[in-house]
Amino acid sequence: MSEVFVTGASILKVDRYYENNIIDLAIGAISGLAEEISIVHPDILILANAYSESTTEQVLLSEKIASSLGLRVPAIRTEQGDASGGSAIFTAYSFLKSGIAKSVLIVGAEKLSDFPTNHLNDILAENLDEEYSYRIGMTQSSYAALQMKLYMKTYGVGYDYFAEWPYQMHKNASENHYAYLKFQVDKDTIMKSQIISDPIRLFDTAARADGAAAILLTNGELARKFSESKVKVENVYGSSFGYSMRELVAVREAWLPWRDFKPNFIEIHDSYSVIAAMILDEIGFERGKSLYNIADSQVNLSGGLKARGYPGGATGVYQLAEAYMQLTGTFKGKRAKNAERGAVVSTDDLGKVAYTIGLSR
């Protein structure tokens, strides 16, 4: 079976792009990729996008992007909520390993900043069960608040434990050229910030905005021919389990094959501070204590969703692009030490679906 490599990546700064539509953003990211490598004519194009039906009233977006590029190739959209990026990577990897394709262009794109918060919350609540959650007014923040309360009770920690996460993420993002919230913040400000859903506060939530990222995955033959800065994709695993208050079973199952991999750095899906803690618990950090030592761990050097910004279904593509840049020494931000192996954990808001990607230089 063919080896799979990331041969190039490009990302746009997560921001509010009021004057650009979602296709503009996707083309912008792909154009950046075209400047980096000499091949962007793939066998297949895959778009990672979660909310276009509700946010842009558009379907067939993958075809529209392909047509804008003049590509006559299969164009596919993956949708698995905010895990759409991980799903796109899993799909592309499968095409390449099977030999169906020699190169796959993945683009993640999302537009979330054109709406008031109450309307955006209605859109995002579509992730939840329609009958027993969405229709009775539950939101992801409500679930995360219940998870945080249970986590506090289980491990005997206070809110100050979770404040460690946004404090470190903003510190990391302050060095990231592409970060949306590129500033540091003190713990007192975090702990006194607005309550969203008690005990979830403003700084426990990830900043949603617009963004696009593009990655070219190829087989070994093309990687050696067209790129000097290639990174091997060791494997991609996926799992889904449903919602649980106490544990993220999907993350645990998707991480199990990597238990001996020992990555030097990791990018995880920190939609909420409590979700970050629960993901770290599932991937081998000491349960109930992982956030105390987060400053010494090479986790989310980008600033994560919390401060780099949260571009919806494009998030997993950003994570893989940033991991690639860390391994090739081209990341415009805080650099990982001894960057030989990296890993990505892509999930939805509440960890019901998970994809894990291992990378090596």
Side-chain angles (χ1 to χ4, degrees):
M1 296 177 72
S2 175
E3 292 181 315
V4 177
F5 291 86
V6 183
T7 57
S10 171
I11 59 179
L12 301 184
K13 181 180 184 292
V14 178
D15 211 330
R16 296 175 181 267
Y17 292 94
Y18 294 118
E19 297 181 357
N20 301 100
N21 63 35
I22 193 169
I23 296 177
D24 293 335
L25 296 182
I27 298 301
I30 296 168
S31 297
L33 179 61
E35 293 174 3
E36 178 188 347
I37 55 177
S38 58
I39 174 174
V40 189
H41 191 93
D43 297 326
I44 298 172
L45 181 146
I46 299 178
L47 169 68
N49 169 271
Y51 304 109
S52 66
E53 287 89 346
S54 298
T55 58
T56 67
E57 298 181 338
Q58 292 282 291
V59 295
L60 271 179
L61 271 176
S62 57
E63 180 278 328
K64 293 168 185 175
I65 293 169
S67 293
S68 297
L69 294 169
L71 296 176
R72 297 181 179 180
V73 298
I76 301 165
R77 173 190 169 205
T78 63
E79 183 283 299
Q80 226 169 2
D82 294 315
S84 297
S87 176
I89 296 162
F90 181 87
T91 304
Y93 181 81
S94 300
F95 280 135
L96 289 161
K97 291 295 285 186
S98 67
I100 291 174
K102 293 182 178 180
S103 63
V104 180
L105 174 61
I106 304 173
V107 58
E110 200 79 73
K111 280 282 288 178
L112 298 172
S113 64
D114 294 345
F115 307 96
T117 300
N118 61 338
H119 182 62
L120 183 59
N121 284 339
D122 283 341
I123 294 171
L124 301 178
E126 293 173 6
N127 283 282
L128 303 174
D129 178 85
E130 187 270 340
E131 183 175 1
Y132 298 108
S133 296
Y134 175 51
R135 294 298 175 192
I136 63 172
M138 289 288 285
T139 66
Q140 287 98 314
S141 297
S142 304
Y143 278 104
L146 293 172
Q147 285 176 304
M148 186 180 280
K149 287 182 178 180
L150 185 56
Y151 195 102
M152 289 176 170
K153 182 177 180 180
T154 301
Y155 296 108
V157 298
Y159 179 74
D160 60 318
Y161 174 74
F162 296 101
E164 297 288 342
W165 185 260
Y167 173 77
Q168 187 61 42
M169 291 302 100
H170 277 273
K171 191 173 181 180
N172 291 349
S174 68
E175 300 182 44
N176 184 354
H177 176 75
Y178 297 102
Y180 179 41
L181 304 181
K182 192 179 178 181
F183 58 85
Q184 297 190 42
V185 63
D186 61 77
K187 291 182 183 177
D188 187 59
T189 299
I190 293 168
M191 296 182 70
K192 292 180 179 178
S193 62
Q194 176 186 353
I195 291 177
I196 303 300
S197 182
D198 192 31
I200 297 286
R201 293 181 176 269
L202 179 63
F203 278 91
D204 292 306
T205 64
R208 289 187 180 267
D210 308 333
I215 295 169
L216 185 67
L217 296 188
T218 70
N219 64 13
E221 178 186 356
L222 289 183
R224 286 183 284 272
K225 182 177 180 181
F226 290 105
S227 177
E228 296 180 359
S229 301
K230 56 186 178 294
V231 168
K232 184 178 180 181
V233 182
E234 295 289 346
N235 214 324
V236 184
Y237 298 100
S239 182
S240 59
F241 186 76
Y243 182 72
S244 172
M245 289 285 188
R246 294 182 176 274
E247 55 189 355
L248 301 181
V249 178
V251 173
R252 185 193 313 156
E253 293 297 317
W255 186 258
L256 276 175
W258 300 113
R259 58 186 178 274
D260 298 322
F261 182 61
K262 299 187 182 348
N264 304 114
F265 66 93
I266 306 173
E267 284 287 328
I268 69 168
H269 188 102
D270 56 319
S271 45
Y272 299 95
S273 298
V274 64
I275 295 297
M278 294 176 73
I279 288 175
L280 294 177
D281 289 351
E282 298 293 2
I283 67 175
F285 286 67
E286 186 174 1
R287 290 183 179 272
K289 296 184 178 180
S290 57
L291 298 191
Y292 285 137
N293 301 311
I294 198 62
D296 299 322
S297 304
Q298 298 198 117
V299 178
N300 283 18
L301 298 179
S302 64
L305 286 65
K306 174 67 205 76
R308 177 251 284 120
Y310 192 175
T315 301
V317 187
Y318 270 80
Q319 291 175 302
L320 184 57
E322 289 160 345
Y324 164 81
M325 292 173 185
Q326 287 285 2
L327 289 167
T328 57
T330 58
F331 183 66
K332 294 182 179 180
K334 190 173 183 179
R335 298 281 184 86
K337 298 176 182 177
N338 304 314
E340 297 291 336
R341 294 179 305 281
V344 169
V345 179
S346 170
T347 79
D348 63 291
D349 251 9
L350 298 174
K352 298 187 290 184
V353 175
Y355 293 92
T356 57
I357 303 102
L359 305 166
S360 65
R361 186 167 63 180

